[in-house]
Amino acid sequence: MVDRTQTPPITRVLVANRGEIAVRIIRSLKRLGVETVLAVSSADRDSRGARMADKVVCVGPGRATESYLKIDTLVHAAQATGAQAIHPGYGFLSERAEFARACEEHDVIFIGPTAEQIEQVGNKLEARRIAGEANVPITPGGPVETLDEALAVADDIGYPVLIKAVGGGGGRGLKRADTRESLIQQFDMASAEALSAFGDGRVYVECFVTQGRHVEVQVLGDGKDVLHLGDRDCSVQRRYQKLIEEAPAPHLSDALRKGLHQAAVRFARHIGYRGAGTIEFLVDVPREQFYFLEMNARIQVEHPVTEEVTGVDLIEAQYRIAQGEPLPWSQNDIQVHGHAIECRINAEDCDHDFRPSPGRVTQAYFPSHDGLRIDTHIEAGAMIPPFYDSMVAKVIAVGQDREQARLRLRMALDELVLEGVKTNIALHKAILETPEFTQGGVDTGFLGRYLAEKPSLQNEARREQT
């Protein structure tokens, strides 16, 4: 590992991302007195982030494959603009080991973990092996190369099972099989999808916990020490894509919560982790058991809820670690106060299979109240291009307890205005009012069950307006 304590201070950073996370990164770096260069595609030349940055450099056309995913172009942009470091944000190249390696080879600091660590946790089989070595529980199952091997593993551990891509996550290459017949039908599709998404068609089969919760632990490491910043619950998901997140995870026993925290730290320490990372677990609450799912070696979309309950600016922490500074806290210094809940606002049509809804935002109003945080790049007149993820804002509410946070979030969604495109705001309002969510501790199947029973969200939105 490069000794960063001997490098000059980072005074200029290239932000290799877009949208709300680019705005979020620029704000923290400006507060630290660091100059920012924003890499933009031609579709983002007029974005809010472009106006906020000290300098803007266009790295290609609108399609991500021709701009935000061009490693050589981004590294050259950093060098040409005098940026000593690159912040990759999330998505795009943030978990690509070849990007981190290219930065290192060209004397540009990658604000994140080492290329080797990205490779270790990016390969799901290698991550499972590391978890085993670190005494972190893993779900029963294992790698398979053929359908016959997959059937044998499934027969051994029992149905239902998940077929998962070795080379990535985010729901791609992921299929559930409840029976042998279903596994036979899904196996080739999962492998083909994994190959298309990650260039790696390998899969593994693991046990599926029917009433599991998705709980993750935020960690920070400086290459020598690791500490955690508590946990988040991300169980409100649609097709393995998170929609609502909160911190701390509700209704966990003290022993179970402590076990999750300790397991996350053990995993990260085992690889000498550097930077911000998240260890994700599948939690079987009634049985007081949890299993390692994966590690995300980057900042997470849902990081604001952790920031709001701990008071730690995770972007600043990433920057300081990249400079070679040691962690400034002990574990006892990290305290969780209150509760935070985040809704992801997406430009999509919930009544037509959540298809993206790009276009021009004709009106935009984001409320401002105590206990409310809005992370967005959207304003009236902004164009939502068709090339990227549909998320346009995150609404985060904070309270002394979970119910206060929930009520503040519901009120904020009532006041929020985004017109010109379709959004999932009505869906969020409906979820927040369900008895299951109000009580807290829903499992990952909650949203699927709700959507199967719901009336049209368009009708619900119309009723609210009358």
Side-chain angles (χ1 to χ4, degrees), residues 55-194:
K55 186 177 179 62
V56 175
V57 57
C58 185
V59 292
R63 294 189 182 279
T65 53
E66 301 174 23
S67 52
Y68 296 111
L69 294 174
K70 299 283 284 188
I71 291 175
D72 291 343
T73 301
L74 290 166
V75 173
H76 176 73
Q79 293 177 310
T81 57
Q84 301 108 319
I86 291 179
H87 196 305
Y90 55 69
F92 291 134
L93 295 171
S94 62
E95 292 182 284
R96 292 277 289 274
E98 55 265 44
F99 188 33
R101 189 167 289 117
C103 288
E104 186 170 326
E105 290 172 352
H106 291 85
D107 296 320
V108 175
I109 295 173
F110 181 78
I111 300 181
T114 67
E116 180 184 7
Q117 290 167 347
I118 294 173
E119 286 177 334
Q120 285 177 309
V121 303
N123 182 307
K124 299 303 183 279
L125 293 181
E126 176 67 6
R128 281 172 61 93
R129 184 191 65 78
I130 292 169
E133 289 183 351
N135 194 29
V136 176
I138 57 177
T139 49
V144 295
E145 294 184 2
T146 66
L147 175 59
D148 287 342
E149 290 181 6
L151 290 169
V153 170
D155 287 342
D156 182 52
I157 63 178
Y159 290 91
V161 298
L162 285 177
I163 314 165
K164 303 180 75 172
V166 169
R172 292 169 295 179
L174 181 62
K175 303 292 183 184
R176 172 177 169 175
D178 293 326
T179 63
R180 282 178 61 90
E181 292 72 21
S182 177
L183 179 55
I184 292 169
Q185 293 172 356
Q186 303 268 29
F187 184 80
D188 286 340
M189 285 191 291
S191 180
E193 193 173 299

Side-chain angles (χ1 to χ4, degrees), residues 228-453:
H228 71 81
L229 283 80
D231 48 81
R232 302 184 285 254
D233 192 303
C234 308
S235 299
V236 180
Q237 303 177 3
R238 175 183 172 271
R239 297 180 181 174
Y240 305 103
Q241 296 294 316
K242 302 167 187 173
L243 195 64
I244 299 177
E245 303 99 353
E246 57 185 300
H251 307 319
L252 297 182
S253 69
D254 290 343
L256 182 55
R257 197 181 305 275
K258 182 178 179 180
L260 287 162
H261 296 170
Q262 292 176 338
V265 170
R266 285 199 307 272
F267 184 99
R269 280 182 178 159
H270 192 74
I271 59 174
Y273 191 72
R274 185 190 74 199
T278 299
I279 319 293
E280 302 193 348
F281 297 96
L282 182 64
V283 179
D284 187 336
V285 177
R287 292 184 173 85
E288 289 277 303
Q289 294 178 343
F290 61 87
Y291 304 102
F292 171 82
L293 283 176
E294 63 181 352
M295 181 178 191
N296 294 124
R298 54 171 167 80
I299 197 75
Q300 293 274 89
V301 174
E302 59 269 23
H303 76 272
V305 292
T306 294
E307 292 184 325
E308 292 303 318
V309 298
T310 63
V312 174
D313 183 326
L314 288 168
I315 302 297
E316 178 180 344
Q318 286 185 297
Y319 166 80
R320 295 193 179 282
I321 291 168
Q323 283 207 133
E325 298 179 25
L327 294 174
W329 315 279
S330 69
Q331 188 62 68
N332 289 336
D333 293 328
I334 305 298
Q335 299 293 324
V336 172
H337 300 285
H339 200 96
I341 309 176
E342 170 183 293
C343 285
R344 300 189 188 193
I345 307 301
N346 299 331
E348 58 190 17
D349 187 345
C350 298
D351 286 314
H352 292 86
D353 199 29
F354 294 82
R355 67 188 180 199
S357 178
R360 187 173 298 278
V361 176
T362 55
Q363 291 193 56
Y365 170 74
F366 295 97
S368 176
H369 300 297
D370 289 341
L372 189 64
R373 167 177 168 178
I374 307 290
D375 283 15
T376 187
H377 60 294
I378 293 299
E379 55 200 351
M383 277 296 298
I384 300 175
F387 311 113
Y388 316 116
D389 183 85
S390 63
M391 191 179 73
V392 295
K394 299 183 303 198
V395 181
I396 306 102
V398 188
Q400 294 181 351
D401 55 31
R402 186 176 186 272
E403 181 61 5
Q404 186 180 50
R406 186 188 71 85
L407 291 174
R408 283 177 170 171
L409 184 56
R410 183 65 176 82
M411 180 177 68
L413 294 175
D414 278 338
E415 297 181 22
L416 194 157
V417 176
L418 276 178
E419 296 183 0
V421 296
K422 294 184 181 298
T423 73
N424 62 350
I425 294 173
L427 174 59
H428 280 297
K429 292 180 185 181
I431 292 171
L432 292 177
E433 293 296 334
T434 62
E436 296 89 344
F437 185 86
T438 301
Q439 180 180 351
V442 300
D443 62 58
T444 56
F446 156 75
L447 185 55
R449 295 191 298 270
Y450 172 77
L451 291 173
E453 300 170 356

